[in-house]
């Protein structure tokens, strides 16, 4: 067995966000400084994964709710954009690089997940092509910088799961979500307008994303699935969100009291008619009472 440390490069640095550490640090600091933190620290957040010029300020609303003094493990659940996956996949590397500092994958938790037989391995190529997890790494590094040697990450690429698979993975992750030293980051952009318009819901445009957001805030995975079936809203992180909602449902059965609220909503550009296209972004946090 070789002990060579394998790294995933910051493959989207220089295009989706700046590759300069000092510049990136200043940018993230600027966005975070404009946001209030809520009273309770987040146990999970939903935040977007587009280029930072589009969604960096929106994502800050979620990351501001992270408490680095209690967080020791960060699960990052991102959808697969390039590779068809019917399950979830784990990375094959040890280290994820960012322009700020390197993040270590938690091999102990990976071992536990691997033992369940529910996961595949992603190749390095798949890992570096995918942006849904990477776009959360600089923000994770920034939010945790005061405790940067005291935490690990657990990146999980989430496939196009059936409802029953979302339930199974929700159940599996629920025991990790129950632990206050764990944080879940769910990676999702919110609504791709052109698909909504083509599906004939033009007259509902203004309230459309808000309806999806309020359904997520109800913490009911079944209502969320029904909403997606009705509107065909292309929330690209719908499966990671589905896994989170199922994990929450599992914990609620055991008497845990939680609430989720969206803290910010933004669009890449304003949509005024059916020819426009736009992506919307939302940031929110789950707190335990």
């Amino acid at each position: 067995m070789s002990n060579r440390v394998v790294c995933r490069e910051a493959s989207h640095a220089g295009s989706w966000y700046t590759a300069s550490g000092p510049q990136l640090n200043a940018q993230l600091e600027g966005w975070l400084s404009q946001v209030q933190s809520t009273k309770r620290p987040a146990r999970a957040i939903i935040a977007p994964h587009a280029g930072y010029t589009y969604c960096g300020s929106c994502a800050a609303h979620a990351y501001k709710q992270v408490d680095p003094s209690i967080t020791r493990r960060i699960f990052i659940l991102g959808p697969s954009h390039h590779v068809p996956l019917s399950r979830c996949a784990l990375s094959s590397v040890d280290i994820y690089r960012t322009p700020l500092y390197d993040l270590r994958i938690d091999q102990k938790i990976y071992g536990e997940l691997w033992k369940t037989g529910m996961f595949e391995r992603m190749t390095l190529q798949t890992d570096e092509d995918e942006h849904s997890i990477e776009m959360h790494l600089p923000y994770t590094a920034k939010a945790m910088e005061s405790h940067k040697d005291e935490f690990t990450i657990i990146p999980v690429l989430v496939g196009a799961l059936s409802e029953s698979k979302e339930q199974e993975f929700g159940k599996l992750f629920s025991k990790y979500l129950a632990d206050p030293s764990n944080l879940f980051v769910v990676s999702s952009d919110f609504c791709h307008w052109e698909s909504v318009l083509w599906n004939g819901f033009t007259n509902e445009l203004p309230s459309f994303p808000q309806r999806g957001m309020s359904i997520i805030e109800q913490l009911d995975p079944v209502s969320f699935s029904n909403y997606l079936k009705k509107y065909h809203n292309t929330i690209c992180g719908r499966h990671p969100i589905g896994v989170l909602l199922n994990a929450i449902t599992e914990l609620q059965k055991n008497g845990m009291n939680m609430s989720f609220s969206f803290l910010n909503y933004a669009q890449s550009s304003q949509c005024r008619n059916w020819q426009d296209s736009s992506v919307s972004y939302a940031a929110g946090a789950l707190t335990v009472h």
Side-chain angles (χ1 to χ4, degrees):
M1 280 289 286
S2 105
N3 291 328
R4 194 169 67 89
V5 174
V6 185
C7 296
R8 178 201 183 278
E9 295 304 324
S11 50
H12 293 71
S15 49
W16 291 56
Y17 57 96
T18 176
S20 150
Q23 220 176 328
L24 182 60
N25 188 52
Q27 220 171 30
L28 297 175
E29 224 152 65
W31 286 320
L32 287 163
S33 69
Q34 289 163 21
V35 179
Q36 296 299 304
S37 54
T38 53
K39 288 185 187 68
R40 286 193 175 86
R43 184 73 54 92
I45 60 173
I46 295 176
H49 55 232
Y52 281 180
T53 46
Y54 297 109
C55 73
S57 63
C58 175
H61 290 262
Y63 278 96
K64 187 77 171 196
Q65 316 314 323
V66 175
D67 182 349
S69 69
I70 58 171
T71 306
R72 291 298 164 262
R73 285 165 299 276
I74 300 177
F75 291 74
I76 307 172
L77 276 53
S80 177
H81 285 89
H82 305 292
V83 175
L85 264 187
S86 62
R87 299 193 292 168
C88 292
L90 303 177
S91 177
S92 50
V93 307
D94 306 289
I95 298 281
Y96 271 16
R97 293 235 147 107
T98 85
L100 302 179
Y101 57 90
D102 292 349
L103 306 180
R104 272 179 312 125
I105 289 183
D106 194 312
Q107 297 302 338
K108 180 181 172 290
I109 304 276
Y110 254 23
E112 291 172 13
L113 297 177
W114 194 241
K115 269 197 205 111
T116 62
M118 291 165 68
F119 292 84
E120 321 179 6
R121 278 268 183 238
M122 48 175 145
T123 62
L124 181 59
Q125 181 73 55
T126 297
D127 208 344
E128 290 189 344
D129 285 350
E130 182 55 64
H131 64 275
S132 73
I133 294 172
E134 180 179 341
M135 297 310 292
H136 288 279
L137 303 176
Y139 252 122
T140 296
K142 182 64 187 162
M144 293 299 294
E145 69 183 343
S146 60
H147 290 72
K148 70 175 180 190
D149 299 319
E150 297 166 37
F151 78 99
T152 50
I153 59 166
I154 299 94
V156 178
L157 191 62
V158 179
L161 307 179
S162 63
E163 280 173 62
S164 63
K165 283 245 176 76
E166 284 183 4
Q167 241 165 352
E168 277 171 48
F169 280 105
K171 203 168 271 192
L172 170 67
F173 284 119
S174 65
K175 69 167 189 184
Y176 298 105
L177 184 63
D179 182 342
S181 61
N182 292 336
L183 169 76
F184 275 72
V185 172
V186 171
S187 172
S188 184
D189 291 341
F190 219 74
C191 170
H192 296 69
W193 287 109
E194 57 277 82
S195 65
V196 175
L197 299 170
W198 283 118
N199 283 315
F201 295 108
T202 322
N203 59 333
E204 302 188 38
L205 265 184
S207 64
F208 189 78
Q210 280 70 18
R211 183 169 307 174
M213 285 154 69
S214 71
I215 284 169
I216 291 169
E217 288 178 339
Q218 289 162 25
L219 301 180
D220 176 7
V222 178
S223 301
F224 184 57
S225 288
N226 292 341
Y227 162 80
L228 292 172
K229 280 178 204 150
K230 179 179 177 184
Y231 290 102
H232 310 288
N233 184 0
T234 54
I235 296 174
C236 61
R238 59 193 174 278
H239 298 296
I241 292 171
V243 169
L244 176 67
L245 292 177
N246 277 288
I248 291 166
T249 300
E250 200 57 34
L251 295 180
Q252 284 174 327
K253 283 182 203 163
N254 304 326
M256 244 175 113
N257 182 15
M258 289 169 281
S259 62
F260 186 93
S261 50
F262 278 102
L263 305 163
N264 188 253
Y265 173 75
Q267 277 174 258
S268 61
S269 56
Q270 288 295 310
C271 262
R272 294 193 174 79
N273 63 47
W274 65 273
Q275 290 164 317
D276 292 346
S277 75
S278 172
V279 181
S280 67
Y281 312 110
L286 176 80
T287 51
V288 176
H289 304 287

mmCIF file of all heavy atoms in Angstrom, residues 225-247:
data_model
loop_
_atom_site.group_PDB
_atom_site.id
_atom_site.type_symbol
_atom_site.label_atom_id
_atom_site.label_comp_id
_atom_site.label_asym_id
_atom_site.label_seq_id
_atom_site.Cartn_x
_atom_site.Cartn_y
_atom_site.Cartn_z
ATOM 1 N N SER A 225 -41.397 16.598 -3.056
ATOM 2 C CA SER A 225 -41.457 15.733 -4.246
ATOM 3 C C SER A 225 -42.672 16.072 -5.098
ATOM 4 O O SER A 225 -42.582 16.139 -6.323
ATOM 5 C CB SER A 225 -41.571 14.265 -3.842
ATOM 6 O OG SER A 225 -40.352 13.827 -3.330
ATOM 7 N N ASN A 226 -43.814 16.288 -4.449
ATOM 8 C CA ASN A 226 -45.044 16.593 -5.185
ATOM 9 C C ASN A 226 -44.936 17.930 -5.923
ATOM 10 O O ASN A 226 -45.385 18.070 -7.058
ATOM 11 C CB ASN A 226 -46.256 16.617 -4.243
ATOM 12 C CG ASN A 226 -46.554 15.221 -3.711
ATOM 13 O OD1 ASN A 226 -46.108 14.218 -4.289
ATOM 14 N ND2 ASN A 226 -47.277 15.137 -2.610
ATOM 15 N N TYR A 227 -44.310 18.902 -5.256
ATOM 16 C CA TYR A 227 -44.087 20.213 -5.877
ATOM 17 C C TYR A 227 -43.237 20.061 -7.139
ATOM 18 O O TYR A 227 -43.544 20.624 -8.194
ATOM 19 C CB TYR A 227 -43.399 21.130 -4.856
ATOM 20 C CG TYR A 227 -42.716 22.343 -5.435
ATOM 21 C CD1 TYR A 227 -43.440 23.487 -5.778
ATOM 22 C CD2 TYR A 227 -41.328 22.362 -5.634
ATOM 23 C CE1 TYR A 227 -42.806 24.607 -6.303
ATOM 24 C CE2 TYR A 227 -40.693 23.480 -6.151
ATOM 25 C CZ TYR A 227 -41.433 24.602 -6.491
ATOM 26 O OH TYR A 227 -40.795 25.695 -7.021
ATOM 27 N N LEU A 228 -42.163 19.259 -7.044
ATOM 28 C CA LEU A 228 -41.276 19.064 -8.200
ATOM 29 C C LEU A 228 -42.013 18.364 -9.341
ATOM 30 O O LEU A 228 -41.831 18.693 -10.504
ATOM 31 C CB LEU A 228 -40.042 18.248 -7.792
ATOM 32 C CG LEU A 228 -39.065 18.953 -6.843
ATOM 33 C CD1 LEU A 228 -37.995 17.987 -6.356
ATOM 34 C CD2 LEU A 228 -38.419 20.161 -7.510
ATOM 35 N N LYS A 229 -42.853 17.406 -8.983
ATOM 36 C CA LYS A 229 -43.611 16.677 -10.020
ATOM 37 C C LYS A 229 -44.594 17.610 -10.712
ATOM 38 O O LYS A 229 -44.780 17.554 -11.920
ATOM 39 C CB LYS A 229 -44.384 15.507 -9.395
ATOM 40 C CG LYS A 229 -43.520 14.295 -9.147
ATOM 41 C CD LYS A 229 -44.347 13.191 -8.489
ATOM 42 C CE LYS A 229 -43.437 12.258 -7.723
ATOM 43 N NZ LYS A 229 -44.115 11.672 -6.565
ATOM 44 N N LYS A 230 -45.211 18.484 -9.937
ATOM 45 C CA LYS A 230 -46.223 19.365 -10.518
ATOM 46 C C LYS A 230 -45.600 20.424 -11.423
ATOM 47 O O LYS A 230 -46.063 20.681 -12.519
ATOM 48 C CB LYS A 230 -47.037 20.047 -9.411
ATOM 49 C CG LYS A 230 -48.086 20.994 -9.982
ATOM 50 C CD LYS A 230 -48.927 21.680 -8.932
ATOM 51 C CE LYS A 230 -49.883 22.666 -9.626
ATOM 52 N NZ LYS A 230 -50.660 23.443 -8.658
ATOM 53 N N TYR A 231 -44.530 21.057 -10.941
ATOM 54 C CA TYR A 231 -44.001 22.220 -11.657
ATOM 55 C C TYR A 231 -42.771 21.922 -12.513
ATOM 56 O O TYR A 231 -42.339 22.782 -13.279
ATOM 57 C CB TYR A 231 -43.640 23.334 -10.664
ATOM 58 C CG TYR A 231 -44.851 23.964 -10.042
ATOM 59 C CD1 TYR A 231 -45.244 23.622 -8.755
ATOM 60 C CD2 TYR A 231 -45.608 24.892 -10.753
ATOM 61 C CE1 TYR A 231 -46.369 24.197 -8.179
ATOM 62 C CE2 TYR A 231 -46.726 25.465 -10.192
ATOM 63 C CZ TYR A 231 -47.109 25.121 -8.909
ATOM 64 O OH TYR A 231 -48.220 25.695 -8.352
ATOM 65 N N HIS A 232 -42.203 20.720 -12.354
ATOM 66 C CA HIS A 232 -40.962 20.393 -13.082
ATOM 67 C C HIS A 232 -39.901 21.470 -12.880
ATOM 68 O O HIS A 232 -39.143 21.788 -13.784
ATOM 69 C CB HIS A 232 -41.227 20.208 -14.587
ATOM 70 C CG HIS A 232 -42.362 19.287 -14.863
ATOM 71 N ND1 HIS A 232 -42.278 17.922 -14.658
ATOM 72 C CD2 HIS A 232 -43.624 19.521 -15.288
ATOM 73 C CE1 HIS A 232 -43.437 17.359 -14.954
ATOM 74 N NE2 HIS A 232 -44.275 18.304 -15.345
ATOM 75 N N ASN A 233 -39.883 22.066 -11.704
ATOM 76 C CA ASN A 233 -38.890 23.098 -11.416
ATOM 77 C C ASN A 233 -37.509 22.445 -11.364
ATOM 78 O O ASN A 233 -37.298 21.489 -10.639
ATOM 79 C CB ASN A 233 -39.205 23.754 -10.064
ATOM 80 C CG ASN A 233 -38.265 24.904 -9.750
ATOM 81 O OD1 ASN A 233 -37.378 25.222 -10.536
ATOM 82 N ND2 ASN A 233 -38.443 25.531 -8.606
ATOM 83 N N THR A 234 -36.585 22.964 -12.155
ATOM 84 C CA THR A 234 -35.254 22.354 -12.190
ATOM 85 C C THR A 234 -34.369 22.905 -11.077
ATOM 86 O O THR A 234 -33.398 23.601 -11.328
ATOM 87 C CB THR A 234 -34.573 22.613 -13.543
ATOM 88 O OG1 THR A 234 -34.597 24.018 -13.773
ATOM 89 C CG2 THR A 234 -35.271 21.910 -14.666
ATOM 90 N N ILE A 235 -34.733 22.610 -9.843
ATOM 91 C CA ILE A 235 -33.844 22.912 -8.720
ATOM 92 C C ILE A 235 -32.746 21.863 -8.821
ATOM 93 O O ILE A 235 -33.002 20.681 -8.596
ATOM 94 C CB ILE A 235 -34.597 22.795 -7.375
ATOM 95 C CG1 ILE A 235 -35.713 23.842 -7.304
ATOM 96 C CG2 ILE A 235 -33.636 22.925 -6.193
ATOM 97 C CD1 ILE A 235 -36.612 23.719 -6.089
ATOM 98 N N CYS A 236 -31.538 22.272 -9.214
ATOM 99 C CA CYS A 236 -30.570 21.230 -9.582
ATOM 100 C C CYS A 236 -30.066 20.437 -8.389
ATOM 101 O O CYS A 236 -29.575 19.337 -8.538
ATOM 102 C CB CYS A 236 -29.431 21.787 -10.415
ATOM 103 S SG CYS A 236 -28.520 23.028 -9.556
ATOM 104 N N GLY A 237 -30.240 20.984 -7.178
ATOM 105 C CA GLY A 237 -29.851 20.205 -6.006
ATOM 106 C C GLY A 237 -31.037 19.514 -5.355
ATOM 107 O O GLY A 237 -31.043 19.247 -4.154
ATOM 108 N N ARG A 238 -32.071 19.208 -6.164
ATOM 109 C CA ARG A 238 -33.286 18.643 -5.555
ATOM 110 C C ARG A 238 -33.024 17.324 -4.830
ATOM 111 O O ARG A 238 -33.637 17.045 -3.805
ATOM 112 C CB ARG A 238 -34.392 18.468 -6.605
ATOM 113 C CG ARG A 238 -34.040 17.564 -7.780
ATOM 114 C CD ARG A 238 -35.099 17.742 -8.866
ATOM 115 N NE ARG A 238 -34.761 17.016 -10.088
ATOM 116 C CZ ARG A 238 -33.928 17.474 -11.021
ATOM 117 N NH1 ARG A 238 -33.310 18.634 -10.818
ATOM 118 N NH2 ARG A 238 -33.687 16.791 -12.120
ATOM 119 N N HIS A 239 -32.093 16.510 -5.353
ATOM 120 C CA HIS A 239 -31.834 15.228 -4.675
ATOM 121 C C HIS A 239 -31.060 15.417 -3.356
ATOM 122 O O HIS A 239 -31.453 14.837 -2.344
ATOM 123 C CB HIS A 239 -31.159 14.240 -5.621
ATOM 124 C CG HIS A 239 -32.023 13.908 -6.814
ATOM 125 N ND1 HIS A 239 -33.240 13.261 -6.685
ATOM 126 C CD2 HIS A 239 -31.872 14.161 -8.142
ATOM 127 C CE1 HIS A 239 -33.795 13.128 -7.891
ATOM 128 N NE2 HIS A 239 -32.995 13.673 -8.780
ATOM 129 N N PRO A 240 -29.988 16.228 -3.335
ATOM 130 C CA PRO A 240 -29.375 16.533 -2.034
ATOM 131 C C PRO A 240 -30.368 17.146 -1.044
ATOM 132 O O PRO A 240 -30.366 16.804 0.136
ATOM 133 C CB PRO A 240 -28.254 17.523 -2.380
ATOM 134 C CG PRO A 240 -27.903 17.221 -3.790
ATOM 135 C CD PRO A 240 -29.186 16.780 -4.444
ATOM 136 N N ILE A 241 -31.255 18.037 -1.533
ATOM 137 C CA ILE A 241 -32.268 18.633 -0.642
ATOM 138 C C ILE A 241 -33.217 17.532 -0.151
ATOM 139 O O ILE A 241 -33.566 17.477 1.032
ATOM 140 C CB ILE A 241 -33.069 19.756 -1.352
ATOM 141 C CG1 ILE A 241 -32.155 20.965 -1.641
ATOM 142 C CG2 ILE A 241 -34.267 20.203 -0.498
ATOM 143 C CD1 ILE A 241 -32.786 22.041 -2.536
ATOM 144 N N GLY A 242 -33.605 16.628 -1.054
ATOM 145 C CA GLY A 242 -34.479 15.511 -0.680
ATOM 146 C C GLY A 242 -33.849 14.637 0.397
ATOM 147 O O GLY A 242 -34.520 14.209 1.348
ATOM 148 N N VAL A 243 -32.533 14.382 0.267
ATOM 149 C CA VAL A 243 -31.817 13.577 1.273
ATOM 150 C C VAL A 243 -31.849 14.310 2.625
ATOM 151 O O VAL A 243 -32.139 13.716 3.665
ATOM 152 C CB VAL A 243 -30.356 13.306 0.832
ATOM 153 C CG1 VAL A 243 -29.536 12.704 1.973
ATOM 154 C CG2 VAL A 243 -30.337 12.370 -0.384
ATOM 155 N N LEU A 244 -31.568 15.614 2.604
ATOM 156 C CA LEU A 244 -31.583 16.399 3.853
ATOM 157 C C LEU A 244 -32.972 16.363 4.503
ATOM 158 O O LEU A 244 -33.096 16.126 5.708
ATOM 159 C CB LEU A 244 -31.164 17.850 3.584
ATOM 160 C CG LEU A 244 -31.231 18.789 4.800
ATOM 161 C CD1 LEU A 244 -30.202 18.415 5.864
ATOM 162 C CD2 LEU A 244 -31.041 20.254 4.383
ATOM 163 N N LEU A 245 -34.021 16.583 3.697
ATOM 164 C CA LEU A 245 -35.378 16.600 4.256
ATOM 165 C C LEU A 245 -35.746 15.247 4.868
ATOM 166 O O LEU A 245 -36.400 15.178 5.910
ATOM 167 C CB LEU A 245 -36.403 16.990 3.174
ATOM 168 C CG LEU A 245 -36.325 18.434 2.657
ATOM 169 C CD1 LEU A 245 -37.343 18.667 1.543
ATOM 170 C CD2 LEU A 245 -36.545 19.444 3.779
ATOM 171 N N ASN A 246 -35.297 14.173 4.231
ATOM 172 C CA ASN A 246 -35.569 12.840 4.783
ATOM 173 C C ASN A 246 -34.783 12.593 6.072
ATOM 174 O O ASN A 246 -35.285 11.932 6.985
ATOM 175 C CB ASN A 246 -35.276 11.760 3.742
ATOM 176 C CG ASN A 246 -36.440 11.566 2.777
ATOM 177 O OD1 ASN A 246 -37.472 11.028 3.134
ATOM 178 N ND2 ASN A 246 -36.279 12.049 1.547
ATOM 179 N N ALA A 247 -33.569 13.109 6.140
ATOM 180 C CA ALA A 247 -32.773 12.983 7.375
ATOM 181 C C ALA A 247 -33.455 13.736 8.518
ATOM 182 O O ALA A 247 -33.538 13.254 9.652
ATOM 183 C CB ALA A 247 -31.357 13.515 7.156
#
